[in-house]
Amino acid sequence: GENVGLHLPTLSVQEGDNSIINCAYSNSASDYFIWYKQESGKGPQFIIDIRSNMDKRQGQRVTVLLNKTVKHLSLQIAATQPGDSAVYFCAENNNAGNMLTFGGGTRLMVKP
Amino acid sequence: NAGVMQNPRHLVRRRGQEARLRCSPMKGHSHVYWYRQLPEEGLKFMVYLQKENIIDESGMPKERFSAEFPKEGPSILRIQQVVRGDSAAYFCASSPFRSSRLDHNEQFFGPGTRLTVL
């Protein structure tokens, strides 16, 4: 079936550098996307969302880009900090239901 | 405001026993979702409930698993006759209203219950 997936399972960056985490989705009916951060032993924490009528949305130190042509979603984290180390999931939601469909996750490791 | 609460945080059961996982949504939220997460994997949707109603249980196994969200009290995910393959983290999320095409709403997650079946 259609699902959400990620390109890179692990990303290692230097503290202070920018991080880019990518996600590919295949469900063309998806109209809402969310990025979650999950630290070890904790539940997913909302970071930022974007609707399909937008191609970019910015938050505090984070930017989400949506390319509907190639069905690609990315999360950019500026000036990455040690506290950003976690697993990041993209998730989709569409008007066919209220469930979130999660990708497999990318582990971000920040080197001091 | 207290967030989504789940208990127990850790649960150990032997094969064949029953597991009961509880979830108290955020104050004012009447929509509850249960997800399951295996190690190093993303969360998989199981069931979506409103007060006293199961709205979507398409992700829940047909046998041994059941869920409820009574008028009073927490939502309960019940797993009967547990097997080793049931070992996972079970997360509950809540939202204040139902998503629609025009108005998607954020799901707030609890800390999860980690079930280990011996």
Side-chain angles (χ1 to χ4, degrees):
Chain A
E2 297 185 299
N3 55 60
V4 179
L6 295 175
H7 294 150
L8 301 174
T10 304
L11 177 64
S12 185
V13 300
Q14 203 70 40
E15 181 179 356
D17 287 351
N18 296 335
S19 302
I20 300 176
I21 300 172
N22 297 300
C23 176
Y25 66 95
S26 56
N27 187 350
S28 56
S30 298
D31 56 2
Y32 179 59
F33 303 88
I34 313 105
W35 279 101
Y36 282 94
K37 171 186 180 183
Q38 186 177 28
E39 296 174 284
S40 181
K42 297 183 179 179
Q45 177 187 357
F46 174 92
I47 301 173
I48 192 168
D49 60 359
I50 188 168
R51 299 180 190 277
S52 59
N53 61 352
M54 304 170 67
D55 54 20
K56 181 179 179 179
R57 189 162 189 229
Q58 286 185 293
Q60 188 177 12
R61 280 202 308 119
V62 294
T63 301
V64 55
L65 299 177
L66 175 62
N67 185 330
K68 293 182 288 295
T69 303
V70 295
K71 297 178 187 171
H72 185 268
L73 191 69
S74 69
L75 176 70
Q76 300 178 1
I77 305 173
T80 313
Q81 302 169 0
D84 295 327
S85 294
V87 178
Y88 290 80
F89 294 96
C90 65
E92 65 162 321
N93 181 236
N94 60 58
N95 64 333
N98 280 259
M99 71 182 80
L100 292 174
T101 302
F102 281 79
T106 293
R107 184 179 305 280
L108 176 65
M109 299 174 63
V110 182
K111 296 177 287 186
Chain B
N1 280 336
V4 177
M5 293 191 290
Q6 290 187 249
N7 68 81
R9 294 293 309 277
H10 299 274
L11 183 61
V12 179
R13 285 286 179 268
R14 296 189 182 280
R15 281 179 296 171
Q17 291 184 321
E18 178 180 286
R20 278 183 178 245
L21 289 63
R22 286 175 287 278
C23 169
S24 296
M26 287 181 69
K27 187 176 181 181
H29 289 193
S30 59
H31 299 254
V32 165
Y33 314 79
W34 284 93
Y35 293 84
R36 173 171 139 152
Q37 184 179 36
L38 295 173
E40 301 295 307
E41 292 189 10
L43 282 71
K44 297 288 193 295
F45 169 80
M46 298 181 73
V47 62
Y48 163 43
L49 309 103
Q50 272 183 274
K51 284 284 188 182
E52 300 184 277
N53 286 306
I54 296 175
I55 308 301
D56 182 350
E57 55 182 347
S58 59
M60 200 154 69
K62 295 289 186 285
E63 297 180 355
R64 301 189 298 108
F65 285 73
S66 62
E68 62 177 10
F69 189 15
K71 187 177 180 180
E72 302 292 336
S75 175
I76 306 286
L77 178 68
R78 183 182 177 205
I79 311 173
Q80 294 178 290
Q81 299 173 338
V82 296
V83 301
R84 287 208 174 119
D86 296 332
S87 295
Y90 292 83
F91 290 95
C92 168
S94 72
S95 66
F97 52 87
R98 184 170 185 166
S99 288
S100 68
R101 186 177 181 84
L102 297 177
D103 200 358
H104 291 274
N105 71 99
E106 180 183 344
Q107 294 182 17
F108 296 82
F109 283 84
T113 294
R114 278 147 187 84
L115 173 66
T116 301
V117 180
L118 301 177

